[in-house]
Amino acid sequence: MNVPQTAALNRRFVLTQHTQPDAEPTPAVWKLETVPVPEAGPGQVLLRTLWLSLDPYMRVRLNDADTYMPSVKKGEVMVGGTVSRVEASNHPDYQVGDLVHSYAGWQDYMISDGSDIIIKLPAGAPHPSWYLGALGMPGFTAWHALMNIGKPKAGETFVVAAATGAVGQIIGQLAKQAGLRTVGIAGGQKKCDYATGELGFDVCVDHRAKDFPAQLKAACPKGIDIYMENVGGPVFDAVMPLLKEFARVPVCGLISHYSGGGMEGADRLPGFMAQTLFKRLKVEGFIIFDAYPEHHANFQQHARPLVEGGQVKVREHIIDELESAPQGLIDLLKGDNFGKVVVRVGA
Ligand code: NDP
């Protein structure tokens, strides 16, 4: 059923310039424009953005070079995961009022033919924004990295950095539930206190502390069996000597390099390769998109009851208004977020 559309306007952020690989993005990277709301054609739906996810991968897509995903081109709407409400529908699978998780980007409205809709949220989902975090891409990332790559065994030592962030908070709690000794790494005492007090980490170490490597070593007296690599850089330098023989290292992200260069891999390469060989490490890079067809249903079956039942806690860092998205991403990349970053775009 098509519904007459109002004369509302669509605010959207488009890219005006790319960012050098070793530079921080600035607000001048984007321009806010206002255009008419598009109309849903045959077989299409009009989606109204309610929540926009801000994620570290967005930084990589600001470079003027394609990686595992194309860079955002000048004049294009900035990419981003969203929870949206169906405002008008000419598609048999979607009714007006349905909530869906899609990638509508940094804008109020988007037209979809359904092919880019990842899931329809369950009717009455109590926290739609969680489908961008604990029950969405970051939660799935955490679950997949731990269960399918980390392959945890009770009693082992598990370490993750950015421990209170979108991925870290979920993988830390799942690892604890799997019977592991969990060691978090986070920026600052407040985040560390939250990691141990609320998320159940056995220990949390502040990576900004001068004696961070020594503190990490003391926190892992038997070494590290599973290291979830979220950040790279000096944190990995401290982790590498502590990895045990046959340790598993899901390589999830390298946020410390996203605006600092160094991803070409020359400086640490011989030491890293030697460790990989001598300790027979299992190092596995992954991009979560690849895991959707085979594993997403298992994730939902496992994680949804835990998250909705409160056995896995959720901390969100909520930002109001689409206009705040550029600064929100800039802050996230500096570690100024405390929890999964979501922008409340519409109601
Ligand atoms: P978070 O919510 O954890 O936010 C990023 C956090 O990274 C910051 O809060 C900060 O935490 C930490 N950080 C930033 N800069 C540095 C630095 N220089 N050194 C150490 N820590 C730093 O983000 P996500 O949970 O969404 O993402 C975590 C990682 O996982 C990222 O690298 C991301 O790219 C990756 N990822 C990969 C996916 C995949 O498919 N492979 C999917 C999803 C995420 P603190 O203040 O505690 O240091």
Side-chain angles (χ1 to χ4, degrees), residues 55-57 137-138 141 162-168 185-187 191 207-208 230-231 235 251-256 258 286-289 332-337 339-340:
D55 299 276
Y57 75 82
M137 184 274 283
T141 298
T164 63
V167 173
I185 298 170
K191 288 185 179 180
H207 66 87
R208 295 189 197 140
N230 268 345
V231 302
V235 169
V251 181
C252 175
L254 299 168
I255 194 169
S256 75
Y258 290 170
F286 72 99
I287 299 295
I288 196 60
F289 298 151
L332 162 69
L333 294 167
K334 288 188 298 195
D336 287 347
N337 63 309
K340 167 69 194 124

Side-chain angles (χ1 to χ4, degrees), residues 249-316:
V249 183
V251 181
C252 175
L254 299 168
I255 194 169
S256 75
H257 297 285
Y258 290 170
S259 293
M263 285 204 282
E264 64 283 354
D267 61 346
R268 291 174 171 87
L269 197 58
F272 170 68
M273 293 300 267
Q275 292 285 313
T276 304
L277 174 64
F278 300 156
K279 291 182 180 165
R280 288 86 91 201
L281 303 178
K282 185 170 182 348
V283 179
E284 184 171 337
F286 72 99
I287 299 295
I288 196 60
F289 298 151
D290 299 331
Y292 273 83
E294 191 179 347
H295 299 293
H296 190 245
N298 287 346
F299 156 69
Q300 283 199 305
Q301 207 177 6
H302 181 174
R304 210 175 134 202
L306 293 174
V307 171
E308 290 183 346
Q311 292 99 317
V312 167
K313 292 185 185 172
V314 175
R315 184 181 178 111
E316 292 183 313

Side-chain angles (χ1 to χ4, degrees), residues 133-148:
L135 294 175
M137 184 274 283
F140 183 32
T141 298
W143 178 87
H144 175 65
L146 182 68
M147 299 304 175
N148 296 331

Side-chain angles (χ1 to χ4, degrees), residues 5 10 26 74 90 102 110 154 175 188 190 213 226-227 232 256 259 264 302 307-308 314 328 337 345:
Q5 291 165 21
N10 181 28
T26 69
K74 287 182 196 170
N90 295 320
S102 179
M110 186 188 79
K190 211 167 138 193
I226 305 174
Y227 172 59
S256 75
S259 293
E264 64 283 354
H302 181 174
V307 171
E308 290 183 346
V314 175
N337 63 309
V345 177

Side-chain angles (χ1 to χ4, degrees), residues 3-9 36-39 46 87-88 109:
V3 166
Q5 291 165 21
T6 64
L9 293 170
V37 175
E39 288 205 15
L46 174 67
E87 293 286 274
Y109 292 92

